[in-house]
Amino acid sequence: MNFTTKIPIAKSDAPIDYSSRIVSLGSCFAENMGERLAFFKFQNTTNPFGIIFNPVSIEKIIDRAINLNYFTEDNLFFHNELWHCYEVHSDLSYENKEYFLLNLNQTLKETNQQLTNATHIIITYGTSWVYKLKSFGSVVANCHKVPQNQFDKEILYVEEIEKSIQNTLVLIKKANPNCNVIFTISPVRHLKDGFVENQRSKAHLISALHTSISQLPTSMYFPSFEIQMDELRDYRFYAQDMLHPNSVAIDYIWERFCESAIAEEATPIMQEVASIQKGMAHRPFHPQSISHTKFLQNISQKAAQLKAQFPFMNF
C-alpha cells in the first residue's frame, strides 16, 4: 500500500529491542499488537486480566497490581453458574470460587513483577463510555451479562480521563521510574454506543491523552486510531463486521508502529524469527521426504542459535 500522505509519527527516544520487557494493557486492539509482539518473540505480557476498555478500569487494575491490593471474596459474585469479578474480564471467570480467587491473586503477583520490571508499558484505550454498578456507584471493567438495569451508563468527561491518566502515570513511575509508556487509542469503533457517541467517546480520549502526556517526556502517543481513520479510510480495511480492522489493516498499523517504536537493530532478528515461525507453520505434502527432514533440521538449528542468543525465546 502506498499513500501520498502519511500521518507523521515521532520516533521513540527509547525504542523497543530484544532486551525490552513489555506489558500491553487495554482494549481488544492491544491484543492485536500483543499477538504481533509475541509472534516476533519479544518479552511481552498482554492483558493478564483480560481485555479492559476504559481508562478508569485500567487505572484501577494497575493500582491494585502495583500496590498488591489482593482480591478478597467481597470482590467476587456469582452469576450464571460462574464466579466473576467486576474488575476483570469474563475470560477469567470460573465455577469454583476458591480457585478463581487464588488465580486472581496469583495473576496479581505476577503482574506486579511485570509492571515493576517492564521497560515499556503500552496502554490502549477503547472508549470513554463506562458502566457504573448502581449498588456501589463504581465503574466496572466488565458487566458479565448482568442485567443492564443494574448499571448506569455514563461518558467520562475529558477532565475525568486526564485525572485517570495522570493517576496511572504516577502509579507506574512510583513503582518503575525508568519505564517508558506508550499510549494509543483503539481504532475499533464501538457502534453499539451510536455513531455520534462513538466519535464523541474517541474525541474525549484523544483530548485527554494529548494534554496528559505532553507533561511527561517518557510517554509517547502512537496514532493507531488516526492511521485507521485517515490512512486506511476505506471499508476494505475492515473485517466483516465493519467495526474491527482486518488483518491487512492490523499488519499496516504494526508496520507503522515498528517505524516509530521498534529499534532498527531489532529488524534483522525479527526477520529471522519470522522465517523460523513460517517454517514451523509450513505443512508439507511429503513430510517423510529427505528434503523436508533437512528443512526441519535447518529450522531447528536456526531456532537453537536464536535461543542461545536470547534464552527467553521459545519456539
Side-chain angles (χ1 to χ4, degrees):
M1 290 175 289
N2 295 315
F3 296 92
T4 55
T5 302
K6 280 189 174 183
I7 296 171
I9 303 176
K11 288 269 189 181
S12 171
D13 291 331
I16 294 168
D17 59 23
Y18 276 97
S19 66
S20 301
R21 297 176 299 279
I22 311 151
V23 178
S24 304
L25 302 169
S27 80
C28 51
F29 191 71
E31 298 277 316
N32 297 139
M33 293 294 101
E35 287 173 4
R36 293 299 188 279
L37 288 165
F39 176 84
F40 288 105
K41 298 298 180 182
F42 285 96
Q43 300 177 85
N44 175 59
T45 300
T46 301
N47 282 340
F49 291 99
I51 294 168
I52 301 178
F53 295 96
N54 74 79
V56 170
S57 293
I58 292 173
E59 175 200 343
K60 285 170 69 174
I61 204 66
I62 290 176
D63 187 358
R64 187 180 282 279
I66 284 177
N67 291 309
L68 280 179
N69 180 15
Y70 289 109
F71 294 95
T72 68
E73 290 189 6
D74 292 338
N75 302 124
L76 312 184
F77 70 98
F78 193 72
H79 178 68
N80 284 344
E81 302 182 13
L82 290 173
W83 287 93
H84 306 277
C85 174
Y86 280 121
E87 295 181 40
V88 306
H89 194 272
S90 55
D91 284 350
L92 280 75
S93 299
Y94 202 73
E95 60 266 21
N96 181 284
K97 181 173 69 171
E98 288 71 24
Y99 177 85
F100 181 43
L101 186 60
L102 184 67
N103 184 53
L104 283 177
N105 285 326
Q106 180 60 35
T107 304
L108 194 74
K109 287 170 63 178
E110 292 170 359
T111 305
N112 171 275
Q113 294 174 354
Q114 289 155 356
L115 290 172
T116 303
N117 295 320
T119 58
H120 296 76
I121 296 175
I122 304 172
I123 298 177
T124 304
Y125 295 136
T127 183
S128 301
W129 289 101
V130 297
Y131 289 86
K132 287 186 175 180
L133 191 64
K134 288 181 178 179
S135 56
F136 291 99
S138 56
V139 173
V140 302
N142 194 292
C143 293
H144 302 292
K145 298 184 179 179
V146 172
Q148 195 163 350
N149 61 12
Q150 300 298 307
F151 304 93
D152 289 318
K153 183 179 179 180
E154 300 177 5
I155 193 167
L156 296 171
Y157 289 100
V158 174
E159 294 77 14
E160 294 177 287
I161 300 170
E162 284 179 13
K163 183 178 179 181
S164 181
I165 294 169
Q166 289 161 5
N167 289 344
T168 299
L169 288 170
V170 168
L171 284 164
I172 292 171
K173 291 302 175 182
K174 177 183 175 182
N176 189 347
N178 298 318
C179 182
N180 298 276
V181 185
I182 302 173
F183 287 100
T184 188
I185 293 170
S186 170
V188 177
R189 298 186 299 163
H190 292 243
L191 293 190
K192 65 179 182 179
D193 297 320
F195 284 89
V196 174
E197 290 80 1
N198 173 69
Q199 291 298 91
R200 182 184 176 198
S201 166
K202 300 292 189 184
H204 284 202
L205 293 173
I206 292 168
S207 181
L209 261 178
H210 283 290
T211 300
S212 299
I213 65 177
S214 63
Q215 303 168 11
L216 196 67
T218 54
S219 297
M220 67 171 287
Y221 178 72
F222 174 71
S224 56
F225 173 77
E226 292 81 355
I227 292 170
Q228 181 74 31
M229 294 297 110
D230 293 311
E231 290 188 25
L232 305 178
R233 51 184 180 272
D234 191 298
Y235 274 109
R236 74 182 186 274
F237 297 116
Y238 284 86
Q240 287 185 338
D241 63 4
M242 297 300 170
L243 302 177
H244 292 77
N246 62 16
S247 59
V248 177
I250 293 169
D251 286 344
Y252 180 78
I253 295 172
W254 168 254
E255 289 174 9
R256 302 240 43 212
F257 180 79
C258 290
E259 291 173 13
S260 67
I262 305 291
E264 290 182 8
E265 57 267 27
T267 301
I269 304 167
M270 292 171 67
Q271 291 170 346
E272 187 71 15
V273 170
S275 174
I276 294 169
Q277 294 277 61
K278 290 172 183 175
M280 289 181 165
H282 177 65
R283 294 293 176 264
F285 287 113
H286 304 289
Q288 306 304 323
S289 66
I290 295 175
S291 61
H292 182 65
T293 301
K294 289 181 178 179
F295 172 78
L296 290 179
Q297 290 173 346
N298 183 46
I299 291 293
S300 297
Q301 185 179 7
K302 288 181 178 179
Q305 288 171 348
L306 272 182
K307 186 168 179 59
Q309 187 178 359
F310 303 103
F312 56 83
M313 287 189 182
N314 291 308
F315 290 92

Short mmCIF file of all heavy atoms in Angstrom, two decimals, residues 272-306:
data_model
loop_
_atom_site.label_atom_id
_atom_site.label_comp_id
_atom_site.label_asym_id
_atom_site.label_seq_id
_atom_site.Cartn_x
_atom_site.Cartn_y
_atom_site.Cartn_z
N GLU A 272 14.56 -12.98 11.09
CA GLU A 272 14.98 -14.36 11.36
C GLU A 272 13.89 -15.12 12.11
O GLU A 272 13.59 -16.28 11.80
CB GLU A 272 16.28 -14.35 12.16
CG GLU A 272 16.91 -15.71 12.36
CD GLU A 272 17.51 -16.30 11.09
OE1 GLU A 272 17.69 -15.54 10.10
OE2 GLU A 272 17.79 -17.50 11.09
N VAL A 273 13.29 -14.46 13.11
CA VAL A 273 12.21 -15.09 13.88
C VAL A 273 11.03 -15.40 12.97
O VAL A 273 10.46 -16.50 13.02
CB VAL A 273 11.76 -14.16 15.04
CG1 VAL A 273 10.47 -14.70 15.67
CG2 VAL A 273 12.85 -14.05 16.09
N ALA A 274 10.68 -14.45 12.10
CA ALA A 274 9.55 -14.66 11.19
C ALA A 274 9.82 -15.84 10.25
O ALA A 274 8.92 -16.64 9.97
CB ALA A 274 9.29 -13.39 10.38
N SER A 275 11.06 -15.95 9.80
CA SER A 275 11.42 -17.06 8.92
C SER A 275 11.24 -18.40 9.63
O SER A 275 10.71 -19.36 9.06
CB SER A 275 12.87 -16.89 8.45
OG SER A 275 13.29 -18.02 7.71
N ILE A 276 11.66 -18.46 10.88
CA ILE A 276 11.52 -19.69 11.66
C ILE A 276 10.04 -19.99 11.92
O ILE A 276 9.59 -21.14 11.77
CB ILE A 276 12.29 -19.58 12.99
CG1 ILE A 276 13.80 -19.49 12.72
CG2 ILE A 276 11.98 -20.75 13.91
CD1 ILE A 276 14.62 -19.11 13.93
N GLN A 277 9.30 -18.98 12.31
CA GLN A 277 7.87 -19.16 12.60
C GLN A 277 7.12 -19.69 11.37
O GLN A 277 6.30 -20.61 11.47
CB GLN A 277 7.25 -17.84 13.05
CG GLN A 277 7.78 -17.32 14.38
CD GLN A 277 7.08 -17.95 15.57
OE1 GLN A 277 7.13 -19.17 15.75
NE2 GLN A 277 6.43 -17.14 16.37
N LYS A 278 7.40 -19.09 10.22
CA LYS A 278 6.72 -19.52 8.99
C LYS A 278 7.15 -20.92 8.59
O LYS A 278 6.35 -21.71 8.10
CB LYS A 278 7.00 -18.52 7.87
CG LYS A 278 6.32 -17.17 8.08
CD LYS A 278 6.76 -16.14 7.05
CE LYS A 278 6.14 -14.77 7.33
NZ LYS A 278 6.64 -13.73 6.41
N GLY A 279 8.43 -21.23 8.83
CA GLY A 279 8.93 -22.57 8.52
C GLY A 279 8.26 -23.62 9.38
O GLY A 279 7.88 -24.70 8.90
N MET A 280 8.07 -23.31 10.66
CA MET A 280 7.42 -24.25 11.56
C MET A 280 5.94 -24.44 11.24
O MET A 280 5.36 -25.49 11.51
CB MET A 280 7.59 -23.78 13.01
CG MET A 280 9.01 -23.92 13.54
SD MET A 280 9.15 -23.38 15.26
CE MET A 280 10.75 -24.08 15.70
N ALA A 281 5.34 -23.39 10.69
CA ALA A 281 3.91 -23.47 10.35
C ALA A 281 3.67 -24.15 9.01
O ALA A 281 2.52 -24.46 8.67
CB ALA A 281 3.31 -22.06 10.35
N HIS A 282 4.74 -24.37 8.25
CA HIS A 282 4.59 -24.96 6.91
C HIS A 282 4.08 -26.40 6.99
O HIS A 282 4.53 -27.19 7.81
CB HIS A 282 5.95 -24.93 6.19
CG HIS A 282 5.93 -25.57 4.84
ND1 HIS A 282 5.21 -25.07 3.78
CD2 HIS A 282 6.55 -26.69 4.38
CE1 HIS A 282 5.39 -25.85 2.73
NE2 HIS A 282 6.19 -26.84 3.07
N ARG A 283 3.12 -26.74 6.16
CA ARG A 283 2.57 -28.09 6.11
C ARG A 283 2.97 -28.74 4.78
O ARG A 283 2.42 -28.41 3.73
CB ARG A 283 1.04 -28.05 6.25
CG ARG A 283 0.56 -27.58 7.62
CD ARG A 283 0.93 -28.58 8.70
NE ARG A 283 0.58 -28.10 10.04
CZ ARG A 283 1.40 -27.50 10.87
NH1 ARG A 283 2.66 -27.27 10.49
NH2 ARG A 283 1.00 -27.13 12.06
N PRO A 284 3.92 -29.68 4.83
CA PRO A 284 4.44 -30.26 3.58
C PRO A 284 3.50 -31.31 2.98
O PRO A 284 2.70 -31.93 3.70
CB PRO A 284 5.74 -30.92 4.04
CG PRO A 284 5.45 -31.31 5.45
CD PRO A 284 4.56 -30.25 6.01
N PHE A 285 3.63 -31.53 1.68
CA PHE A 285 2.88 -32.60 1.02
C PHE A 285 3.48 -33.97 1.36
O PHE A 285 2.78 -34.97 1.45
CB PHE A 285 2.90 -32.40 -0.50
CG PHE A 285 2.03 -31.26 -0.96
CD1 PHE A 285 2.59 -30.11 -1.51
CD2 PHE A 285 0.65 -31.32 -0.84
CE1 PHE A 285 1.79 -29.06 -1.94
CE2 PHE A 285 -0.15 -30.28 -1.26
CZ PHE A 285 0.42 -29.14 -1.81
N HIS A 286 4.81 -33.99 1.56
CA HIS A 286 5.50 -35.26 1.83
C HIS A 286 6.37 -35.10 3.07
O HIS A 286 7.59 -34.87 2.98
CB HIS A 286 6.36 -35.66 0.62
CG HIS A 286 5.57 -35.76 -0.65
ND1 HIS A 286 4.67 -36.78 -0.89
CD2 HIS A 286 5.54 -34.95 -1.74
CE1 HIS A 286 4.12 -36.60 -2.09
NE2 HIS A 286 4.63 -35.50 -2.61
N PRO A 287 5.77 -35.22 4.25
CA PRO A 287 6.51 -34.95 5.50
C PRO A 287 7.65 -35.91 5.77
O PRO A 287 8.55 -35.60 6.56
CB PRO A 287 5.42 -35.07 6.58
CG PRO A 287 4.32 -35.85 5.95
CD PRO A 287 4.36 -35.52 4.50
N GLN A 288 7.65 -37.09 5.16
CA GLN A 288 8.71 -38.06 5.40
C GLN A 288 9.87 -37.94 4.42
O GLN A 288 10.84 -38.71 4.50
CB GLN A 288 8.13 -39.49 5.32
CG GLN A 288 6.93 -39.74 6.23
CD GLN A 288 7.23 -39.44 7.69
OE1 GLN A 288 8.34 -39.71 8.16
NE2 GLN A 288 6.26 -38.86 8.38
N SER A 289 9.80 -37.00 3.50
CA SER A 289 10.83 -36.88 2.47
C SER A 289 12.15 -36.39 3.07
O SER A 289 12.18 -35.73 4.11
CB SER A 289 10.39 -35.93 1.37
OG SER A 289 10.27 -34.61 1.88
N ILE A 290 13.24 -36.71 2.37
CA ILE A 290 14.57 -36.28 2.82
C ILE A 290 14.69 -34.76 2.82
O ILE A 290 15.25 -34.16 3.74
CB ILE A 290 15.67 -36.91 1.92
CG1 ILE A 290 15.67 -38.42 2.09
CG2 ILE A 290 17.04 -36.33 2.26
CD1 ILE A 290 16.61 -39.14 1.15
N SER A 291 14.13 -34.14 1.77
CA SER A 291 14.23 -32.68 1.66
C SER A 291 13.50 -31.99 2.82
O SER A 291 14.00 -31.00 3.37
CB SER A 291 13.65 -32.21 0.32
OG SER A 291 12.29 -32.56 0.22
N HIS A 292 12.34 -32.54 3.21
CA HIS A 292 11.61 -31.92 4.33
C HIS A 292 12.34 -32.15 5.64
O HIS A 292 12.37 -31.27 6.52
CB HIS A 292 10.18 -32.46 4.42
CG HIS A 292 9.39 -31.81 5.50
ND1 HIS A 292 9.06 -30.47 5.48
CD2 HIS A 292 8.87 -32.31 6.66
CE1 HIS A 292 8.37 -30.17 6.56
NE2 HIS A 292 8.24 -31.27 7.29
N THR A 293 12.96 -33.31 5.80
CA THR A 293 13.73 -33.60 7.01
C THR A 293 14.89 -32.61 7.15
O THR A 293 15.15 -32.08 8.23
CB THR A 293 14.27 -35.04 6.98
OG1 THR A 293 13.18 -35.95 6.89
CG2 THR A 293 15.08 -35.34 8.24
N LYS A 294 15.57 -32.36 6.03
CA LYS A 294 16.67 -31.38 6.05
C LYS A 294 16.15 -29.98 6.34
O LYS A 294 16.79 -29.20 7.06
CB LYS A 294 17.40 -31.40 4.71
CG LYS A 294 18.22 -32.65 4.46
CD LYS A 294 18.95 -32.58 3.13
CE LYS A 294 19.82 -33.80 2.91
NZ LYS A 294 20.51 -33.76 1.59
N PHE A 295 14.98 -29.67 5.80
CA PHE A 295 14.35 -28.36 6.03
C PHE A 295 14.07 -28.18 7.53
O PHE A 295 14.38 -27.12 8.11
CB PHE A 295 13.05 -28.26 5.23
CG PHE A 295 12.22 -27.05 5.53
CD1 PHE A 295 12.56 -25.81 5.00
CD2 PHE A 295 11.09 -27.14 6.33
CE1 PHE A 295 11.79 -24.69 5.28
CE2 PHE A 295 10.32 -26.03 6.60
CZ PHE A 295 10.66 -24.80 6.08
N LEU A 296 13.52 -29.21 8.17
CA LEU A 296 13.22 -29.14 9.60
C LEU A 296 14.49 -29.02 10.43
O LEU A 296 14.53 -28.29 11.43
CB LEU A 296 12.43 -30.37 10.03
CG LEU A 296 10.98 -30.48 9.54
CD1 LEU A 296 10.36 -31.77 10.04
CD2 LEU A 296 10.16 -29.28 9.99
N GLN A 297 15.53 -29.72 10.04
CA GLN A 297 16.80 -29.64 10.75
C GLN A 297 17.38 -28.23 10.67
O GLN A 297 17.92 -27.71 11.66
CB GLN A 297 17.79 -30.66 10.17
CG GLN A 297 17.44 -32.11 10.49
CD GLN A 297 18.33 -33.10 9.76
OE1 GLN A 297 19.05 -32.74 8.82
NE2 GLN A 297 18.30 -34.37 10.20
N ASN A 298 17.26 -27.63 9.51
CA ASN A 298 17.75 -26.26 9.31
C ASN A 298 16.98 -25.28 10.19
O ASN A 298 17.57 -24.39 10.83
CB ASN A 298 17.62 -25.88 7.84
CG ASN A 298 18.19 -24.50 7.56
OD1 ASN A 298 19.27 -24.15 8.00
ND2 ASN A 298 17.44 -23.69 6.81
N ILE A 299 15.63 -25.44 10.24
CA ILE A 299 14.80 -24.57 11.07
C ILE A 299 15.16 -24.75 12.54
O ILE A 299 15.30 -23.76 13.29
CB ILE A 299 13.30 -24.89 10.85
CG1 ILE A 299 12.85 -24.45 9.44
CG2 ILE A 299 12.43 -24.22 11.91
CD1 ILE A 299 12.84 -22.97 9.20
N SER A 300 15.33 -25.99 12.97
CA SER A 300 15.67 -26.27 14.37
C SER A 300 17.02 -25.67 14.75
O SER A 300 17.20 -25.15 15.85
CB SER A 300 15.70 -27.78 14.62
OG SER A 300 14.43 -28.34 14.42
N GLN A 301 17.96 -25.73 13.82
CA GLN A 301 19.29 -25.16 14.07
C GLN A 301 19.21 -23.64 14.23
O GLN A 301 19.82 -23.08 15.13
CB GLN A 301 20.24 -25.53 12.93
CG GLN A 301 21.67 -25.07 13.17
CD GLN A 301 22.60 -25.47 12.03
OE1 GLN A 301 22.15 -25.98 11.00
NE2 GLN A 301 23.88 -25.24 12.21
N LYS A 302 18.44 -23.00 13.35
CA LYS A 302 18.27 -21.55 13.45
C LYS A 302 17.59 -21.16 14.76
O LYS A 302 17.99 -20.18 15.41
CB LYS A 302 17.43 -21.04 12.27
CG LYS A 302 18.15 -21.06 10.93
CD LYS A 302 17.24 -20.51 9.83
CE LYS A 302 17.96 -20.48 8.49
NZ LYS A 302 17.07 -19.96 7.41
N ALA A 303 16.57 -21.92 15.16
CA ALA A 303 15.87 -21.65 16.41
C ALA A 303 16.80 -21.81 17.60
O ALA A 303 16.79 -21.01 18.54
CB ALA A 303 14.65 -22.56 16.55
N ALA A 304 17.63 -22.84 17.57
CA ALA A 304 18.58 -23.09 18.66
C ALA A 304 19.61 -21.97 18.77
O ALA A 304 19.99 -21.55 19.88
CB ALA A 304 19.27 -24.43 18.45
N GLN A 305 20.05 -21.46 17.62
CA GLN A 305 21.03 -20.37 17.62
C GLN A 305 20.43 -19.10 18.22
O GLN A 305 21.08 -18.39 18.99
CB GLN A 305 21.50 -20.12 16.19
CG GLN A 305 22.42 -21.20 15.64
CD GLN A 305 22.71 -21.04 14.16
OE1 GLN A 305 22.06 -20.26 13.46
NE2 GLN A 305 23.70 -21.78 13.67
N LEU A 306 19.16 -18.83 17.87
CA LEU A 306 18.50 -17.65 18.43
C LEU A 306 18.27 -17.81 19.92
O LEU A 306 18.45 -16.87 20.70
CB LEU A 306 17.17 -17.40 17.72
CG LEU A 306 17.21 -16.52 16.47
CD1 LEU A 306 15.80 -16.31 15.92
CD2 LEU A 306 17.84 -15.15 16.76
#
